[in-house]
Amino acid sequence: MSNRTGFVAIVGRPNVGKSTLMNRILGQKLSITSRKPQTTRHQILGIKTEDDVQVIYVDTPGMHLKQEKAINRYMNKAATTAVKDVDLVVMVIDRTRWTDEDEMVLEALKNQRAPVVLVVNKVDFLKDKDSLLPYLQELSARYPFEQIVPISAKHGHNVERLENLINSFIPEGQYFYPEDQITDRSSRFLAAELVREKIMRQLGDELPYAMTVEIEEFTHSGTLAEISALILVERPSQKRIVIGEGGSRIKQIGQDARKDMEAMFDCKVMLNLWVKVKSNWSDDERALRSLGYDDR
Ligand code: GDP
């Protein structure tokens, strides 16, 4: 039997459960989840090779209604780029409601040719299972979806069925990546994402999402990795929040991030964190580029 390989874009507004689904499918913590929207700022490739099928998942940043800031322009562009040249688009929505942002994602999909499977996530929230059917019928009137699949990414409900469906859209072809490769993202990127996730978790709503993490140093020698990360915030007040009283918060962030890094890189990690104020960075294209958000 010959191999099959293909690209699948996961699209949907922030917070519908794309990262959770991704992690469930890949069985590994690759893209970063958080209760706060817009955590997934980059397009992460997750690769799953199983039973002669290699699926390369493109996890898109959320699409945004407001476009004033450079960071949002970048994110919108990345989201639109991701749906080009894929074999299948999986659009994820939240069972609880259909929003203007969902509508916007759908509008963007009308400009592309790949078949679209609609995933209705978080059905575990449903008390009355009978209410699902009329809702699915209503959804099917919005777009000629190939199929509509209700799932719970968090609990794994129906995810295997979804994967089988996804696999059925993957064409014959040689693998693009070695069989054991799960991501093409560098360790640097993953390290930065882990720090960012911990900050988000620690601070919740206290900090706006205009915060970024830059890895200044990443050296690996034997069983030890030395990592220095720079946390860039917009205002001195935010810097104080991140650091916390007597440095307590930054210490917790560092400890949590280090633990995850050690598990991810399978070695001891020495992690240094710095917090710096960089005003208006999110509205400065050049600054974005220097931080690696390059959309060229
Ligand atoms: P993304 O922004 O689309 O990547 O969304 P995330 O994967 O980060 O998920 C957003 C939030 O929804 C997180 O708190 C998840 O734990 C939660 N979530 C995701 N899938 C489910 C689900 O199937 N059921 C429930 N109850 N919560 C979910």
Side-chain angles (χ1 to χ4, degrees), residues 15-20 34-35 121-122 124-125 152-154:
N15 236 17
V16 291
K18 297 178 298 297
S19 308
T20 309
S34 148
R35 262 179 300 269
N121 191 27
K122 307 191 187 182
D124 53 295
F125 275 132
S152 167
K154 193 170 181 177

Side-chain angles (χ1 to χ4, degrees), residues 76-91:
N76 274 313
K77 199 158 169 186
T80 326
T81 314
V83 292
K84 279 189 194 134
D85 305 321
V86 295
D87 299 290
L88 178 70
V89 175
V90 173
M91 176 176 172

Side-chain angles (χ1 to χ4, degrees), residues 24-258:
R24 172 67 62 176
I25 287 176
L26 297 171
Q28 208 149 352
K29 198 162 182 247
L30 267 186
S31 54
I32 312 293
T33 64
S34 148
R35 262 179 300 269
K36 206 170 164 71
Q38 294 167 333
T39 332
T40 320
R41 194 172 284 176
H42 289 256
Q43 184 183 316
I44 298 174
L45 278 182
I47 304 159
K48 181 157 179 175
T49 309
E50 203 174 68
D51 301 332
D52 299 315
V53 184
Q54 180 166 82
V55 185
I56 300 146
Y57 289 95
V58 193
D59 185 15
T60 64
M63 304 196 187
H64 301 275
L65 293 173
K66 286 197 197 127
Q67 285 215 32
E68 301 113 38
K69 290 200 162 188
I71 183 85
N72 284 346
R73 278 200 298 278
Y74 165 80
M75 287 164 91
N76 274 313
K77 199 158 169 186
T80 326
T81 314
V83 292
K84 279 189 194 134
D85 305 321
V86 295
D87 299 290
L88 178 70
V89 175
V90 173
M91 176 176 172
V92 185
I93 63 168
D94 187 321
R95 154 66 191 106
T96 49
R97 67 211 159 98
W98 177 271
T99 69
D100 287 350
E101 277 181 296
D102 290 321
E103 194 64 49
M104 213 190 78
V105 174
L106 193 61
E107 279 305 311
L109 290 183
K110 289 178 181 166
N111 302 322
Q112 59 92 46
R113 291 152 101 124
V116 182
V117 165
L118 181 68
V119 165
V120 183
N121 191 27
K122 307 191 187 182
V123 291
D124 53 295
F125 275 132
L126 262 185
K127 298 244 158 42
D128 174 18
K129 304 282 173 207
D130 291 341
S131 68
L132 192 57
L133 202 61
Y135 185 57
L136 298 186
Q137 274 165 351
E138 189 191 313
L139 290 169
S140 69
R142 290 184 190 271
Y143 187 83
F145 296 112
E146 295 291 326
Q147 271 197 43
I148 303 181
V149 189
I151 67 159
S152 167
K154 193 170 181 177
H155 301 287
H157 175 73
N158 229 14
V159 173
E160 206 174 304
R161 203 193 118 208
L162 173 64
E163 273 199 82
N164 288 335
L165 178 65
I166 290 172
N167 288 354
S168 72
F169 285 91
I170 306 301
E172 275 192 17
Q174 289 304 309
Y175 292 162
F176 283 104
Y177 294 95
E179 271 181 57
D180 56 358
Q181 193 159 345
I182 47 168
T183 178
D184 79 335
R185 283 293 176 176
S186 67
S187 305
R188 265 174 183 266
F189 169 79
L190 293 171
E193 284 288 276
L194 278 177
V195 173
R196 224 154 63 79
E197 182 201 27
K198 299 307 170 205
I199 297 169
M200 295 266 193
R201 281 193 195 278
Q202 281 279 324
L203 299 184
D205 294 331
E206 281 185 75
L207 195 75
Y209 66 92
M211 174 267 303
T212 192
V213 177
E214 194 180 354
I215 301 297
E216 299 229 289
E217 190 201 332
F218 195 123
T219 56
H220 218 144
S221 57
T223 57
L224 179 77
E226 278 185 62
I227 303 170
S228 292
L230 184 63
I231 299 162
L232 290 165
V233 294
E234 286 187 318
R235 283 188 293 275
S237 60
Q238 294 170 344
K239 179 176 170 175
R240 280 195 296 277
I241 290 171
V242 173
I243 290 174
E245 208 164 311
S248 56
R249 211 165 231 160
I250 189 83
K251 196 171 155 199
Q252 191 62 49
I253 290 166
Q255 276 173 0
D256 293 351
R258 182 176 50 78

Side-chain angles (χ1 to χ4, degrees), residues 256-267:
D256 293 351
R258 182 176 50 78
K259 252 191 235 145
D260 275 16
M261 285 175 187
E262 290 186 339
M264 190 176 264
F265 303 135
D266 198 22
C267 69

